[in-house]
Structure formats: C-alpha cells, structure tokens
Amino acid sequence: QRLAHASTIDGAPAATPEHAAAYRRLRHETLSAERRRLIALRDRGEISDEVLHRLEWELDVEAVLIGTGELRPS
C-alpha cells in the first residue's frame, strides 16, 4: 500500500519529479522514525529481537523500493 501511494498523490499520478522526490525524502524520514521506535520497543522488552529483525527487513525493502536505502545481509 505504501509503495502504491508513493507513485500517486491523492489518487492521481504524481505531478512532477519534484513531488516524487519530496515524497521519497519524507518517507525516508518516517521509515527512520519507525526503525528508531522499533528499536526502543525491543530495548524495553516489548518485542523480541526476532520481531525487530523481521520488521526492520520490511522497512529495508520499502527503502530500497523507493530508492532511499540498500538491503543489509540477513
């Protein structure tokens, strides 16, 4: 769903390359915030290392798909 949203704005194709770049920058920031929150949950014992790594993998894949990251070895 997130990837589909990255290619559209309000259901219409992204108007300009600048809009797409702005979306990628904002999404990169939110992915980073999500990653920090997951690490905090793990550090407090609310999720396991296994859950953290699975969710980090999903964040990594999305970052690669939007062009802001690279996959780390599993």
Side-chain angles (χ1 to χ4, degrees), residues 26-70:
L26 289 172
R27 190 62 195 126
H28 175 72
E29 290 178 26
T30 57
L31 288 170
S32 296
E34 288 178 52
R35 187 178 311 278
R36 288 189 302 272
R37 178 69 174 141
L38 288 171
I39 291 168
L41 289 171
R42 190 271 323 264
D43 289 349
R44 288 197 316 263
E46 295 182 38
I47 62 173
S48 68
D49 281 337
E50 182 179 337
V51 170
L52 170 66
H53 294 305
R54 173 65 183 146
L55 294 172
E56 281 186 314
W57 173 255
E58 291 180 18
L59 295 176
D60 290 346
V61 168
E62 185 173 349
V64 167
L65 291 173
I66 64 171
T68 63
E70 61 184 53

Side-chain angles (χ1 to χ4, degrees), residues 3-25:
L3 183 58
H5 182 72
S7 62
T8 63
I9 296 175
D10 295 328
T16 66
E18 292 81 13
H19 286 137
Y23 175 83
R24 280 191 304 276
R25 280 191 307 275

